[in-house]
Amino acid sequence: MTPQRGPRDAAAIRLNPRVGLVVAMAAFLGVVAFFWPFVVAPGTFGSNYAPPLIFGVLLVLILCVVLSEIAEGGIDSKALAMLGVLSAVNAALRPLGAGTAGIETVFFVLVLAGRVYGPGFGFTLGCTSLFTSALITGGVGPWMPYQMFGCAFVGMLAGFLPRATGRREVLLLAVYGSLSGYLFGFLLNLSFWPFSLDPNSSIAYLPGLPFTEQWHRYLAFDVATSLGWDTGRAVTNFVCILLAGPAVLTTFRRAARKARFRAPVRFVRPGAPPPPSPDR
């Protein structure tokens, strides 16, 4: 039986205008942090290693602000419990696939959860999943903020995908999951490209070059060093969502109906019959 997307699908985390503005600003600063080789003028910092460290700290501060804004106005105890459970699931899944030909099993849950529970939940789950798994696997380092933000983008964009039902929805999510595998690798490579190669290489970062030539160098670097790995991630996402997507979507939506995130408060007179449950 294929899952149906209906009016009961509700965002687990409310994105009010204030939180939406903060998330938009964070997304903009995150893009700047990833694309720093193209926006930082040569000689601005004393070392090639300084920009990623500075932007890494900036990303951590941005994530703290975003998560605090979300927690203040848009998340209740039921959504928080769901976030904790799925973060633990993703943290347990990640070591099962990471490190072997690009096979990573953490993204398909992130895509499906962002689809069902909304962009705010997807953004937060991307951050918490990678943070938790980094603590478990000892993967804490200057790359961690970039991984957290990359996964936050993947989960958030899943919540903005167009409406679809049945097999079309599963296929839509599978295609998106495949593309997000390439997007994640493309973004993460930007964080270390400037100091990972001999400067004399034709695909190395060279400060002062025009944007178009710098961009061509990075595209060549990404294809030469990461395309195979990213393809493994993309294929894993596509297959996992295609096979497990219907069952997981149904489970997530059933949990959302039972939890009734942000259900309205109704006052009932003493002795009056209770209002009917929406599941009846």
Side-chain angles (χ1 to χ4, degrees), residues 136-181:
I136 293 176
T137 61
V140 178
W143 56 84
M144 188 181 70
Y146 293 93
Q147 292 179 335
M148 292 171 62
F149 226 98
C151 282
F153 279 142
V154 171
M156 180 179 67
L157 293 177
F160 288 117
L161 292 176
R163 295 176 65 89
T165 58
R167 295 175 181 174
R168 291 180 58 188
E169 180 184 31
V170 175
L171 182 59
L172 171 68
L173 294 174
V175 172
Y176 169 74
S178 180
L179 294 177
S180 67

Side-chain angles (χ1 to χ4, degrees), residues 244-266:
V248 175
L249 286 172
T250 300
T251 301
F252 283 172
R253 283 174 177 147
R254 183 180 297 117
R257 288 195 299 270
K258 295 293 184 182
R260 299 183 65 198
F261 300 115
R262 301 188 284 114
V265 177
R266 296 186 179 94

Side-chain angles (χ1 to χ4, degrees), residues 3 59 64 68 78 98 100 109 118 123-124 144 172 174 176 179 190 204 210-211 223-224 232 242 264 271:
L59 287 182
C64 290
S68 65
K78 292 175 288 187
T100 307
V109 173
F123 184 94
T124 310
M144 188 181 70
L172 171 68
Y176 169 74
L179 294 177
L190 281 167
F211 174 82
V223 171
L242 207 61

Side-chain angles (χ1 to χ4, degrees), residues 27-268:
F28 172 75
L29 293 175
V31 171
V32 173
F34 276 110
F35 284 84
W36 70 265
F38 303 102
V39 298
V40 174
T44 303
F45 299 100
S47 170
N48 287 338
Y49 297 92
L53 294 176
I54 293 173
F55 282 119
V57 174
L58 176 63
L59 287 182
V60 172
L61 296 177
I62 293 171
L63 291 174
C64 290
V65 172
V66 173
L67 295 179
S68 65
E69 286 287 337
I70 289 175
E72 180 181 351
I75 186 169
D76 58 16
S77 58
K78 292 175 288 187
L80 188 62
M82 181 67 71
L83 180 65
V85 169
L86 293 182
S87 298
V89 169
N90 262 350
L93 285 175
R94 193 181 183 202
L96 300 179
T100 307
I103 298 174
E104 295 189 60
T105 51
V106 70
F107 288 92
F108 86 96
V109 173
L110 181 59
V111 170
L112 298 176
R115 171 66 170 182
V116 174
Y117 299 126
F121 189 92
F123 184 94
T124 310
L125 180 62
C127 296
T128 56
S129 295
L130 266 291
F131 179 76
T132 306
S133 65
L135 295 180
I136 293 176
T137 61
V140 178
W143 56 84
M144 188 181 70
Y146 293 93
Q147 292 179 335
M148 292 171 62
F149 226 98
C151 282
F153 279 142
V154 171
M156 180 179 67
L157 293 177
F160 288 117
L161 292 176
R163 295 176 65 89
T165 58
R167 295 175 181 174
R168 291 180 58 188
E169 180 184 31
V170 175
L171 182 59
L172 171 68
L173 294 174
V175 172
Y176 169 74
S178 180
L179 294 177
S180 67
Y182 289 106
L183 174 65
F184 182 79
F186 184 85
L187 291 176
L188 264 294
N189 287 342
L190 281 167
S191 64
F192 62 86
W193 166 53
F195 47 85
S196 61
L197 293 174
D198 184 344
N200 296 321
S201 172
S202 61
I203 60 175
Y205 171 69
L206 191 60
L209 286 181
F211 174 82
T212 53
E213 187 173 348
Q214 201 80 275
W215 183 251
H216 290 159
R217 281 175 171 252
Y218 177 69
L219 291 180
F221 167 82
D222 185 67
V223 171
T225 63
S226 183
L227 182 61
W229 190 275
D230 294 342
T231 299
R233 182 188 300 113
V235 171
T236 302
N237 293 347
F238 186 88
V239 172
C240 287
I241 294 175
L242 207 61
L243 295 180
V248 175
L249 286 172
T250 300
T251 301
F252 283 172
R253 283 174 177 147
R254 183 180 297 117
R257 288 195 299 270
K258 295 293 184 182
R260 299 183 65 198
F261 300 115
R262 301 188 284 114
V265 177
R266 296 186 179 94
F267 295 94
V268 181

